[in-house]
Amino acid sequence: MRVYTIGRDRTCDYVVDDAKVSRTHLQIVVDDNGVVSVVDLNSRNGTYVNGAPISGVTRLNIKDELRAFEVKIPWQEIIGLKQDDGSGSKTQPKNSGKGNLVWLIMYAVVLIVSVAVCWWIASNKNSEIEQVKQQSAVAQKTLEEKNKELEEQIENLEAECGNLSDQLQELAASKDKEIDNLVKVRKNLQADIKELEGEKDALVIEKSMLEGENEVLEEDKAELQEKVDSLNVANAKPDSTTKLTVTNRRTCTIIIGDRENKE
């Protein structure tokens, strides 16, 4: 039995370069008795025999027209058959053993090339993997060094933060002490101000008392001056002199001529 795959894929036995044809569109099967059949391989646009779409396995006669959608397939040439020339002679299949051998050789060459390419790619990949591993090791080492440096910097920063915290605590304690001293000074000043205000009030009271005594003295002086004036009038002499001297609010001296009287 021989099988011929027809489609757009380059690995097909018969390649159709048309976008409307599927990659593996159909297969032509020739059994051991020479019976030819066509099978649609679930193609996108369908397989047609004499203009009619087929499904499943369909037997082909020598004059049947086979199409992959709109593309005519010369299936007789593909399987090596000649059409009936009208003389009644039957068509005979061509000896396709040589063609099959060529295809086997081609497949073997393709397989060997594929294996060689895969081996070459694997070798390159292994070298690339080694390079990547080396680069990763270098990057890992660099990263570890960077982490170590960062840890040292973090430790230094933590130590500096501890020193700053101690200094801030000392400053806070010093400020609290200064504030306490200022509060004490303020209290002392307030006490002094209160004491001075008390002394001021006492002085104001004393001043008021002195002003009152002064007013009394002025009144007494005026009264005594009236008496002196009356004495001067009563004892008026050309050479006599009357003088009034007020020493305090209880004692005064009246001098009339050479005589001195105290009241």
Coordinates of all heavy atoms in Angstrom, one line a residue, residues 110-171:
V110 N 17.7 14.4 5.8 CA 17.1 15.4 6.6 C 17.2 15.1 8.1 O 17.5 15.9 8.9 CB 15.6 15.6 6.2 CG1 14.9 16.5 7.3 CG2 15.5 16.2 4.8
L111 N 17.0 13.8 8.4 CA 17.1 13.4 9.8 C 18.6 13.6 10.3 O 18.7 14.1 11.4 CB 16.7 11.9 9.9 CG 16.8 11.3 11.3 CD1 15.8 12.0 12.2 CD2 16.5 9.8 11.3
I112 N 19.6 13.2 9.5 CA 21.0 13.4 9.9 C 21.3 14.8 10.1 O 21.9 15.2 11.1 CB 21.9 12.7 8.9 CG1 21.7 11.2 8.9 CG2 23.3 13.1 9.2 CD1 22.4 10.5 7.7
V113 N 20.8 15.7 9.2 CA 21.1 17.1 9.3 C 20.4 17.7 10.5 O 21.0 18.5 11.3 CB 20.6 17.8 8.0 CG1 20.7 19.3 8.2 CG2 21.4 17.4 6.8
S114 N 19.2 17.2 10.8 CA 18.4 17.7 12.0 C 19.2 17.3 13.2 O 19.3 18.1 14.2 CB 17.0 17.1 12.0 OG 16.3 17.5 10.8
V115 N 19.7 16.0 13.3 CA 20.4 15.6 14.5 C 21.7 16.4 14.6 O 22.0 16.8 15.8 CB 20.7 14.1 14.4 CG1 21.7 13.7 15.5 CG2 19.5 13.3 14.4
A116 N 22.4 16.7 13.5 CA 23.6 17.5 13.6 C 23.3 18.9 14.1 O 24.0 19.5 14.9 CB 24.3 17.5 12.2
V117 N 22.2 19.5 13.5 CA 21.8 20.8 14.0 C 21.5 20.8 15.4 O 21.9 21.8 16.2 CB 20.7 21.3 13.1 CG1 20.1 22.6 13.7 CG2 21.2 21.6 11.7
C118 N 20.7 19.8 15.9 CA 20.3 19.7 17.3 C 21.6 19.6 18.2 O 21.6 20.2 19.2 CB 19.4 18.6 17.5 SG 17.7 18.8 16.7
W119 N 22.5 18.8 17.7 CA 23.8 18.6 18.5 C 24.5 19.9 18.6 O 25.0 20.3 19.6 CB 24.6 17.5 17.9 CG 25.9 17.3 18.6 CD1 26.2 16.6 19.7 CD2 27.2 17.9 18.2 NE1 27.5 16.6 20.1 CE2 28.1 17.5 19.2 CE3 27.6 18.7 17.2 CZ2 29.5 17.8 19.2 CZ3 28.9 19.1 17.2 CH2 29.8 18.7 18.1
W120 N 24.6 20.6 17.4 CA 25.3 21.9 17.4 C 24.6 22.9 18.3 O 25.3 23.6 19.1 CB 25.4 22.4 16.0 CG 26.1 23.7 15.9 CD1 27.4 24.0 15.9 CD2 25.5 25.0 15.7 NE1 27.7 25.3 15.7 CE2 26.5 26.0 15.6 CE3 24.1 25.4 15.6 CZ2 26.2 27.3 15.5 CZ3 23.9 26.8 15.4 CH2 24.9 27.7 15.4
I121 N 23.3 22.9 18.2 CA 22.6 23.9 19.1 C 22.8 23.5 20.6 O 23.0 24.4 21.4 CB 21.1 23.9 18.7 CG1 20.9 24.5 17.3 CG2 20.2 24.6 19.7 CD1 19.5 24.3 16.8
A122 N 22.7 22.2 20.9 CA 22.9 21.8 22.3 C 24.3 22.2 22.8 O 24.5 22.6 23.9 CB 22.7 20.3 22.4
S123 N 25.3 22.0 21.9 CA 26.7 22.3 22.3 C 26.8 23.8 22.6 O 27.4 24.3 23.6 CB 27.7 22.0 21.2 OG 27.7 20.6 20.9
N124 N 26.2 24.6 21.6 CA 26.2 26.1 21.9 C 25.5 26.4 23.1 O 25.9 27.3 23.9 CB 25.6 26.8 20.7 CG 26.5 26.7 19.4 OD1 27.7 26.5 19.6 ND2 26.0 26.8 18.2
K125 N 24.4 25.7 23.3 CA 23.6 26.0 24.5 C 24.3 25.7 25.8 O 24.3 26.4 26.8 CB 22.3 25.2 24.5 CG 21.2 25.7 23.5 CD 20.8 27.1 23.8 CE 19.7 27.6 22.9 NZ 19.2 29.0 23.2
N126 N 25.1 24.6 25.7 CA 25.9 24.2 26.9 C 26.9 25.3 27.2 O 27.2 25.6 28.3 CB 26.5 22.8 26.7 CG 25.5 21.7 26.7 OD1 24.5 21.8 27.4 ND2 25.8 20.6 26.0
S127 N 27.6 25.7 26.1 CA 28.6 26.8 26.3 C 28.0 28.1 26.8 O 28.5 28.7 27.7 CB 29.4 27.0 25.0 OG 28.5 27.5 24.0
E128 N 26.8 28.4 26.3 CA 26.1 29.6 26.7 C 25.7 29.4 28.2 O 25.7 30.3 29.0 CB 24.9 29.8 25.9 CG 25.2 30.3 24.5 CD 24.0 30.5 23.6 OE1 22.9 30.3 24.1 OE2 24.1 30.9 22.4
I129 N 25.2 28.2 28.5 CA 24.8 27.9 29.9 C 26.0 28.1 30.9 O 25.9 28.7 32.0 CB 24.2 26.5 30.1 CG1 22.9 26.5 29.3 CG2 24.1 26.1 31.5 CD1 22.3 25.1 29.2
E130 N 27.2 27.6 30.4 CA 28.4 27.7 31.3 C 28.7 29.2 31.4 O 29.1 29.7 32.5 CB 29.6 27.0 30.6 CG 29.5 25.5 30.7 CD 29.5 24.9 32.1 OE1 30.1 25.6 32.9 OE2 28.8 23.9 32.3
Q131 N 28.7 30.0 30.3 CA 28.9 31.4 30.4 C 27.9 32.1 31.4 O 28.3 32.9 32.2 CB 28.9 32.0 29.0 CG 30.0 31.6 28.1 CD 29.9 32.2 26.7 OE1 28.9 33.0 26.5 NE2 30.8 31.9 25.9
V132 N 26.7 31.7 31.2 CA 25.7 32.3 32.1 C 25.9 31.9 33.6 O 25.8 32.7 34.5 CB 24.2 31.8 31.7 CG1 23.2 32.2 32.7 CG2 23.9 32.4 30.3
K133 N 26.4 30.6 33.8 CA 26.7 30.2 35.2 C 27.9 31.1 35.7 O 27.8 31.5 36.9 CB 27.0 28.8 35.2 CG 25.9 27.8 35.0 CD 26.3 26.4 35.1 CE 25.1 25.4 35.0 NZ 25.5 24.0 35.1
Q134 N 28.9 31.3 34.9 CA 30.0 32.1 35.3 C 29.6 33.5 35.6 O 30.0 34.1 36.6 CB 31.1 32.0 34.2 CG 31.8 30.7 34.1 CD 32.8 30.7 32.9 OE1 33.0 31.7 32.3 NE2 33.5 29.5 32.7
Q135 N 28.8 34.0 34.7 CA 28.3 35.4 34.9 C 27.5 35.5 36.2 O 27.5 36.4 36.9 CB 27.5 35.9 33.7 CG 28.4 36.1 32.4 CD 27.5 36.4 31.2 OE1 26.3 36.5 31.3 NE2 28.2 36.6 30.1
S136 N 26.6 34.4 36.4 CA 25.8 34.4 37.6 C 26.7 34.3 38.9 O 26.4 35.0 39.9 CB 24.9 33.2 37.5 OG 24.0 33.3 36.4
A137 N 27.8 33.5 38.8 CA 28.6 33.4 39.9 C 29.3 34.7 40.2 O 29.4 35.2 41.4 CB 29.7 32.3 39.7
V138 N 29.8 35.4 39.2 CA 30.4 36.8 39.4 C 29.4 37.7 39.9 O 29.7 38.5 40.8 CB 31.0 37.3 38.0 CG1 31.5 38.7 38.2 CG2 32.1 36.3 37.6
A139 N 28.2 37.7 39.3 CA 27.1 38.6 39.8 C 26.8 38.3 41.3 O 26.5 39.2 42.1 CB 25.9 38.5 38.9
Q140 N 26.7 37.0 41.6 CA 26.4 36.6 43.0 C 27.5 37.1 44.0 O 27.2 37.6 45.0 CB 26.3 35.1 43.1 CG 25.9 34.6 44.5 CD 24.5 34.9 44.8 OE1 23.7 35.2 44.0 NE2 24.2 35.0 46.1
K141 N 28.8 37.0 43.5 CA 29.9 37.4 44.4 C 29.8 39.0 44.6 O 30.0 39.5 45.7 CB 31.2 37.0 43.8 CG 32.4 37.3 44.6 CD 33.7 36.8 44.0 CE 34.9 37.2 44.8 NZ 36.1 36.7 44.2
T142 N 29.6 39.6 43.4 CA 29.4 41.1 43.5 C 28.3 41.5 44.4 O 28.4 42.5 45.2 CB 29.2 41.7 42.1 OG1 30.3 41.3 41.3 CG2 29.2 43.2 42.1
L143 N 27.2 40.8 44.3 CA 26.0 41.1 45.1 C 26.3 40.8 46.6 O 25.9 41.6 47.5 CB 24.8 40.2 44.7 CG 23.5 40.4 45.4 CD1 23.0 41.9 45.2 CD2 22.5 39.5 44.9
E144 N 27.0 39.8 46.9 CA 27.4 39.5 48.3 C 28.3 40.6 48.8 O 28.1 41.1 50.0 CB 28.1 38.2 48.4 CG 27.2 37.0 48.1 CD 27.9 35.7 48.2 OE1 29.2 35.7 48.3 OE2 27.3 34.6 48.1
E145 N 29.3 41.1 48.0 CA 30.1 42.2 48.5 C 29.3 43.4 48.7 O 29.5 44.2 49.7 CB 31.2 42.4 47.4 CG 32.2 41.3 47.3 CD 33.2 41.5 46.2 OE1 33.0 42.5 45.4 OE2 34.2 40.7 46.0
K146 N 28.4 43.7 47.8 CA 27.5 44.9 48.0 C 26.7 44.8 49.2 O 26.5 45.7 50.0 CB 26.6 45.1 46.7 CG 27.4 45.5 45.5 CD 27.9 46.9 45.5 CE 28.5 47.3 44.2 NZ 29.1 48.7 44.3
N147 N 26.2 43.6 49.5 CA 25.4 43.4 50.7 C 26.2 43.6 51.9 O 25.7 44.2 52.9 CB 24.8 42.0 50.7 CG 23.7 41.8 49.7 OD1 23.0 42.8 49.3 ND2 23.4 40.6 49.2
K148 N 27.5 43.1 51.9 CA 28.4 43.3 53.0 C 28.6 44.7 53.3 O 28.6 45.2 54.4 CB 29.7 42.5 52.8 CG 30.6 42.5 54.0 CD 31.8 41.6 53.7 CE 32.7 41.6 54.9 NZ 33.9 40.7 54.6
E149 N 28.9 45.5 52.2 CA 29.1 46.9 52.3 C 27.9 47.6 52.9 O 28.0 48.5 53.7 CB 29.5 47.5 50.9 CG 30.9 47.1 50.4 CD 31.2 47.6 49.1 OE1 30.3 48.4 48.5 OE2 32.2 47.4 48.5
L150 N 26.7 47.2 52.4 CA 25.5 47.8 52.9 C 25.3 47.5 54.3 O 24.8 48.4 55.1 CB 24.3 47.3 52.0 CG 24.2 47.8 50.6 CD1 23.1 47.2 49.9 CD2 24.0 49.4 50.6
E151 N 25.6 46.3 54.7 CA 25.5 45.9 56.2 C 26.4 46.8 57.0 O 26.0 47.2 58.1 CB 25.8 44.4 56.3 CG 24.7 43.5 55.8 CD 25.0 42.1 55.9 OE1 26.2 41.8 56.4 OE2 24.2 41.2 55.5
E152 N 27.6 47.0 56.6 CA 28.6 47.8 57.3 C 28.1 49.2 57.4 O 28.1 49.9 58.5 CB 29.9 47.8 56.6 CG 30.7 46.4 56.7 CD 32.0 46.4 56.0 OE1 32.3 47.4 55.4 OE2 32.7 45.4 56.1
Q153 N 27.5 49.8 56.3 CA 27.0 51.1 56.3 C 25.8 51.2 57.2 O 25.6 52.2 58.0 CB 26.6 51.5 54.9 CG 27.8 51.7 53.9 CD 27.3 52.0 52.5 OE1 26.1 52.2 52.2 NE2 28.3 52.2 51.6
I154 N 25.0 50.2 57.2 CA 23.8 50.2 58.1 C 24.3 50.2 59.6 O 23.7 50.9 60.4 CB 22.9 49.0 57.8 CG1 22.2 49.2 56.5 CG2 21.9 48.8 58.9 CD1 21.5 47.9 56.0
E155 N 25.3 49.3 59.9 CA 25.8 49.3 61.3 C 26.4 50.7 61.7 O 26.2 51.2 62.8 CB 26.9 48.2 61.4 CG 26.4 46.8 61.3 CD 27.5 45.8 61.3 OE1 28.7 46.2 61.4 OE2 27.2 44.6 61.3
N156 N 27.1 51.3 60.7 CA 27.7 52.7 61.0 C 26.5 53.7 61.3 O 26.6 54.5 62.2 CB 28.6 53.1 59.9 CG 29.8 52.3 59.7 OD1 30.3 51.7 60.7 ND2 30.4 52.2 58.5
L157 N 25.5 53.6 60.4 CA 24.4 54.5 60.6 C 23.7 54.2 61.9 O 23.2 55.2 62.6 CB 23.4 54.3 59.4 CG 23.9 54.8 58.1 CD1 22.9 54.5 57.0 CD2 24.1 56.4 58.1
E158 N 23.5 53.0 62.3 CA 22.9 52.7 63.6 C 23.7 53.2 64.7 O 23.1 53.7 65.7 CB 22.7 51.2 63.7 CG 21.6 50.6 62.8 CD 21.5 49.1 62.9 OE1 22.4 48.5 63.6 OE2 20.6 48.5 62.3
A159 N 25.1 53.1 64.6 CA 25.9 53.6 65.7 C 25.8 55.2 65.7 O 25.6 55.7 66.8 CB 27.4 53.2 65.4
E160 N 25.8 55.8 64.6 CA 25.6 57.3 64.6 C 24.2 57.7 65.1 O 24.1 58.6 65.9 CB 25.7 57.8 63.1 CG 27.2 57.7 62.6 CD 27.3 58.2 61.1 OE1 26.2 58.6 60.6 OE2 28.4 58.1 60.6
C161 N 23.2 56.9 64.8 CA 21.9 57.2 65.3 C 21.9 57.0 66.8 O 21.2 57.8 67.5 CB 20.9 56.2 64.7 SG 20.5 56.6 62.9
G162 N 22.6 56.0 67.3 CA 22.7 55.8 68.8 C 23.4 57.0 69.5 O 22.9 57.5 70.5
N163 N 24.5 57.5 68.8 CA 25.2 58.7 69.4 C 24.3 59.9 69.4 O 24.2 60.7 70.3 CB 26.4 58.9 68.6 CG 27.5 57.8 68.8 OD1 27.5 57.1 69.8 ND2 28.3 57.6 67.8
L164 N 23.6 60.1 68.2 CA 22.7 61.2 68.1 C 21.6 61.1 69.1 O 21.2 62.2 69.7 CB 22.1 61.3 66.7 CG 23.1 61.7 65.6 CD1 22.4 61.6 64.2 CD2 23.6 63.1 65.8
S165 N 21.1 59.9 69.4 CA 20.0 59.8 70.4 C 20.5 60.1 71.8 O 19.8 60.8 72.5 CB 19.5 58.3 70.3 OG 18.5 58.1 71.3
D166 N 21.7 59.7 72.1 CA 22.3 60.0 73.4 C 22.5 61.6 73.5 O 22.2 62.1 74.6 CB 23.7 59.3 73.6 CG 23.5 57.8 73.6 OD1 22.4 57.4 74.0 OD2 24.5 57.1 73.4
Q167 N 23.0 62.2 72.4 CA 23.2 63.6 72.5 C 21.8 64.3 72.6 O 21.7 65.3 73.4 CB 23.9 64.1 71.2 CG 25.3 63.6 71.1 CD 25.9 64.0 69.8 OE1 25.3 64.7 69.0 NE2 27.2 63.6 69.5
L168 N 20.8 63.8 71.9 CA 19.5 64.5 72.1 C 19.0 64.3 73.5 O 18.3 65.2 74.0 CB 18.5 63.8 71.1 CG 18.7 64.2 69.6 CD1 17.8 63.3 68.7 CD2 18.5 65.7 69.4
Q169 N 19.2 63.1 74.1 CA 18.7 63.0 75.5 C 19.5 63.9 76.4 O 18.9 64.5 77.3 CB 19.0 61.5 75.9 CG 18.0 60.5 75.2 CD 18.3 59.1 75.6 OE1 19.2 58.8 76.4 NE2 17.5 58.2 75.1
E170 N 20.8 64.1 76.2 CA 21.6 65.0 77.0 C 21.1 66.4 76.9 O 20.9 67.2 77.8 CB 23.1 64.9 76.7 CG 23.7 63.6 77.1 CD 25.1 63.5 76.6 OE1 25.6 64.4 76.0 OE2 25.8 62.5 76.9
L171 N 20.8 66.8 75.6 CA 20.3 68.1 75.3 C 19.0 68.3 76.0 O 18.7 69.4 76.5 CB 20.2 68.4 73.8 CG 21.6 68.6 73.1 CD1 21.3 68.7 71.6 CD2 22.3 69.9 73.6

